[in-house]
Amino acid sequence: MTHRTHPFLPPVTGRRSGIFLLVLAAALSLGGCDRHDAKGAAPPPAEPISAPGGSMRMKQVAEAREQQAPATAGAPASDVAQGTPLQRYLAVRQDLNVEVAPDQLADAWGKVRDLCGTLQCELLSSSLLRETPQQPGNAMLEMRVAPADVDKLLSGLAGVAHVVSQNTTSEDKTAEVIDVEARIKNRVEFRDSLRLMLRDKTTKRDMSDLLEIQRTLADTQAELDSSATQRKVLEQQTTKQHIQIQFTPTRTLSQGGCSYNPMMRALREAGSVLAESVGVLITFLAAVLPWLLLVGLPLVWLVRLVWRRRRAKAA
């Protein structure tokens, strides 16, 4: 049988080839969509820095990534998502003034210092000045104490001294902590990306670009170390209370059961005042006597000589 072709239709072979091409194009497009949906958007290709100015472009990309980082990088993701309040970091400080009997000042100071060694307590500084005839004694302790042991320390202090005044202050460090933690996170990511670039052997880079990457890596690590140190300082300030205790001797207004009398005090101090006056007199004589010998005796002799001559003329 002979097949007849329509004058307006293309040959059968041409039509079949066109259909085959359409099916192939559809299959390729579906395969591309499946891969796109499975893996997500493909990341942009890394920009090579072998060309001049490539290292500067690398820095700009890294800085842009930092600027796009969320402001709540230091906060937990669950808190940000649920809108719950962030954890607050407070630096608490207590200043206490206590009075102790003059003869028990050193003993009370030592007991509180030893008590600090048995608690979660870090002794920052301590000083002791014993009483002398010229000045009263005093002592000071400065420490950082865990909140759980603050009451134990204050109870031990109340057992050996009388608390005269107590002042408590607190400073909110939440913003500083969040800022430092976000800076540390960004610096760590940037440092890791620089290390990956140094380990990348597929991209050819000039020596100047490698040196620039290493220099940037060193600066980034220095900034990261500084931020880590700042974070440790903030942790010490916010996890422990800063307590300073000033010891002073007790001042009494009675002596031997009698009321305070300025006249009796003056009589008791008369001996020391007299001794001080005699000492001042001796010092004055020691300073003036040489001048009396060098200047006073010649002057007396001269005055006497003039007086004799005038007396002889008058006679």
Side-chain angles (χ1 to χ4, degrees), residues 15 57 93 116 126 133 141:
R15 182 169 53 191
R57 289 195 296 272
R93 178 186 177 94
C116 177
S126 62
L141 288 175

Side-chain angles (χ1 to χ4, degrees), residues 210-286:
L210 294 176
L211 292 177
E212 182 68 21
I213 295 175
Q214 292 180 352
R215 188 180 303 111
T216 306
L217 179 60
D219 295 341
T220 303
Q221 185 63 45
E223 295 177 4
L224 184 59
D225 295 339
S226 177
S227 299
T229 303
Q230 185 179 0
R231 182 64 184 92
K232 289 182 180 180
V233 172
L234 289 173
E235 183 179 1
Q236 291 180 352
Q237 294 177 352
T238 55
T239 57
K240 291 184 178 181
Q241 294 189 16
H242 184 278
I243 297 180
Q244 181 172 343
I245 306 174
Q246 187 71 36
F247 296 82
T248 56
T250 303
R251 296 178 177 85
T252 59
L253 298 180
S254 61
Q255 298 289 338
C258 300
S259 60
Y260 176 72
N261 191 340
M263 296 182 62
M264 296 298 298
R265 179 183 176 183
L267 291 176
R268 286 193 302 268
E269 296 179 353
S272 60
V273 172
L274 179 60
E276 290 180 0
S277 300
V278 173
V280 171
L281 179 60
I282 293 173
T283 303
F284 175 76
L285 293 177

Side-chain angles (χ1 to χ4, degrees), residues 294-309:
L294 295 176
V295 179
L297 292 179
L299 183 62
V300 171
W301 178 80
L302 182 61
V303 171
R304 185 177 180 183
L305 180 62
V306 173
W307 178 75
R308 285 182 178 181
R309 287 183 179 181

Side-chain angles (χ1 to χ4, degrees), residues 8-302:
F8 296 99
L9 293 176
V12 176
T13 57
R15 182 169 53 191
R16 289 179 179 176
S17 61
I19 293 173
F20 176 75
L21 293 176
L22 290 175
V23 173
L24 180 61
L28 292 176
S29 62
L30 290 174
C33 292
D34 293 340
R35 289 190 299 270
H36 186 273
D37 295 339
K39 299 181 180 180
E47 182 181 2
I49 63 171
S50 58
S55 58
M56 295 302 296
R57 289 195 296 272
M58 176 196 65
K59 288 184 179 180
Q60 294 174 359
V61 172
E63 293 176 357
R65 185 172 65 250
E66 281 187 15
Q67 294 176 359
Q68 293 175 359
T72 58
S78 59
D79 293 344
V80 178
Q82 299 176 4
T84 57
L86 298 177
Q87 178 183 358
R88 300 181 66 83
Y89 298 88
L90 300 178
V92 181
R93 178 186 177 94
Q94 294 193 41
D95 296 324
L96 297 96
N97 289 327
V98 299
E99 286 188 351
V100 190
D103 56 342
Q104 299 178 0
L105 178 63
D107 184 57
W109 172 80
K111 288 182 179 179
V112 177
R113 185 187 59 179
D114 295 340
L115 178 62
C116 177
T118 62
L119 305 175
Q120 299 181 32
C121 175
E122 178 185 358
L123 185 63
L124 301 179
S125 64
S126 62
S127 63
L128 173 63
L129 179 62
R130 297 183 181 275
E131 185 177 4
T132 63
Q134 291 76 22
Q135 61 183 2
N138 63 79
M140 186 271 295
L141 288 175
E142 186 177 6
M143 60 196 77
R144 292 191 184 276
V145 186
D149 290 338
V150 171
D151 292 338
K152 297 179 181 179
L153 180 69
L154 296 181
S155 298
L157 176 63
V160 297
H162 174 65
V163 179
V164 178
S165 65
Q166 181 176 2
N167 184 24
T168 303
T169 59
S170 62
E171 183 179 0
D172 193 352
K173 299 283 187 178
T174 305
E176 296 183 29
V177 172
I178 293 177
D179 182 65
V180 171
E181 289 182 349
R183 193 182 308 122
I184 291 176
K185 181 180 179 181
N186 293 333
R187 292 291 91 185
V188 168
E189 294 178 354
F190 187 40
R191 180 199 61 187
D192 294 342
S193 64
L194 292 175
R195 289 177 175 176
L196 290 176
M197 295 181 67
L198 288 177
R199 290 195 295 264
D200 185 12
K201 304 300 181 182
T202 60
T203 305
K204 294 183 179 180
R205 296 184 175 91
D206 297 337
M207 182 58 68
S208 60
D209 295 330
L210 294 176
L211 292 177
E212 182 68 21
I213 295 175
Q214 292 180 352
R215 188 180 303 111
T216 306
L217 179 60
D219 295 341
T220 303
Q221 185 63 45
E223 295 177 4
L224 184 59
D225 295 339
S226 177
S227 299
T229 303
Q230 185 179 0
R231 182 64 184 92
K232 289 182 180 180
V233 172
L234 289 173
E235 183 179 1
Q236 291 180 352
Q237 294 177 352
T238 55
T239 57
K240 291 184 178 181
Q241 294 189 16
H242 184 278
I243 297 180
Q244 181 172 343
I245 306 174
Q246 187 71 36
F247 296 82
T248 56
T250 303
R251 296 178 177 85
T252 59
L253 298 180
S254 61
Q255 298 289 338
C258 300
S259 60
Y260 176 72
N261 191 340
M263 296 182 62
M264 296 298 298
R265 179 183 176 183
L267 291 176
R268 286 193 302 268
E269 296 179 353
S272 60
V273 172
L274 179 60
E276 290 180 0
S277 300
V278 173
V280 171
L281 179 60
I282 293 173
T283 303
F284 175 76
L285 293 177
V288 173
L289 186 60
W291 296 101
L292 290 176
L293 297 176
L294 295 176
V295 179
L297 292 179
L299 183 62
V300 171
W301 178 80
L302 182 61

